[in-house]
Amino acid sequence: MSELTTQALATLHPIEECPDLYVDACVCDEQRNLVFLSVWGRDTALQEFLARLQLGSAENGLDQFHVTLNGHRLPVFPDIERLEKRTTRQFRGTLFGSLLHLWLFDSRCTQPDRANHVAYALLGKGEEPGERLWPLVMETCPLPLLLHWREPVMALLGVHAMLKPLPGALGSVSAWRLSLQVELLETLLGELIRPGVLTTEPTEAQASA
């Protein structure tokens, strides 16, 4: 992408507290805590935004901000201690002049919190969740899992709300949260192992899947 098209610009939403910045994707959890933010703006505006986030509730700082969408103000609460950032090169020739693209995201999007067994998966529009989520489960879970256990274990995690999509998504990005209750999961796995639902070797159907 060398420039923002007019169609793309129509999908941008301003940040109320920083009107020179425009959001094209944002994901929050149920409490509106920031998980992922994709924002466009000039370098000076982005640097000011990052500095105000660092200040938090101090004078002129931001411990929350609002994305404006169709006349509504969507609150976003950033936990600056958990956030990582990535910035692209400049994009020239847009309707707003030369812009930079900034991503802010919870560090658990790239590295699971193994101590607390929590991780996030960011998915693009139309991306198949299972292809991303099962490797994340195996990486985060301290219990030994076999590759061919994928379907029953994923179903188990969904039923017990240990794996679920986040509702507060704007734009073409969605997110899933993995939050394992290890003691409960160990009990549930045992209940599937004893009757032979989970086996050490894959069944013929699992092997051909």
Side-chain angles (χ1 to χ4, degrees):
M1 178 177 179
S2 60
E3 63 178 23
L4 295 178
T5 64
T6 302
Q7 181 179 3
L9 288 169
T11 67
L12 297 180
H13 310 285
I15 295 178
E16 184 179 70
E17 293 80 359
C18 304
D20 291 331
L21 298 182
Y22 298 86
V23 172
D24 65 353
C26 182
V27 180
C28 295
D29 66 12
E30 295 86 346
Q31 288 74 46
R32 300 298 301 171
N33 296 307
L34 179 61
V35 175
F36 174 81
L37 180 73
S38 172
V39 59
W40 298 84
R42 294 184 177 88
D43 181 53
T44 52
L46 287 174
Q47 294 304 324
E48 179 184 353
F49 176 60
L50 293 172
R52 292 180 68 187
L53 290 178
Q54 290 286 350
L55 289 172
S57 58
E59 184 178 358
N60 201 37
L62 291 174
D63 55 4
Q64 65 173 293
F65 56 89
H66 297 81
V67 177
T68 303
L69 173 64
N70 298 328
H72 298 285
R73 302 166 66 247
L74 304 179
V76 180
F77 299 94
D79 182 353
I80 195 64
E81 298 299 322
R82 284 199 177 276
L83 294 180
E84 296 184 12
K85 67 177 181 178
R86 301 286 188 274
T87 307
T88 68
R89 61 182 177 82
Q90 283 193 344
F91 289 87
R92 303 181 185 279
T94 74
L95 297 182
F96 297 105
S98 296
L99 299 182
L100 293 180
H101 192 184
L102 169 71
W103 291 280
L104 285 178
F105 51 89
D106 190 300
S107 59
R108 293 169 292 185
C109 293
T110 56
Q111 187 68 34
D113 178 355
R114 293 185 176 85
N116 297 299
H117 320 298
V118 176
Y120 291 107
L122 296 174
L123 280 71
K125 188 175 182 179
E127 188 173 357
E128 175 56 45
E131 298 301 319
R132 291 282 307 280
L133 297 179
W134 179 236
L136 184 64
V137 170
M138 296 191 69
E139 182 181 4
T140 307
C141 184
L143 304 174
L145 301 176
L146 299 180
L147 285 172
H148 61 279
W149 290 2
R150 169 178 161 173
E151 297 304 324
V153 172
M154 292 287 277
L156 198 67
L157 296 176
V159 167
H160 292 274
M162 297 187 214
L163 180 66
K164 60 181 182 179
L166 295 181
L170 169 68
S172 60
V173 176
S174 62
W176 288 68
R177 180 178 59 228
L178 176 65
S179 183
L180 299 177
Q181 304 170 51
V182 176
E183 290 186 4
L184 174 60
L185 181 58
E186 186 173 21
T187 299
L188 295 171
L189 291 175
E191 292 175 353
L192 294 180
I193 291 172
R194 283 189 289 275
V197 176
L198 298 179
T199 59
T200 56
E201 298 295 332
T203 65
E204 184 175 339
Q206 289 171 331
S208 61

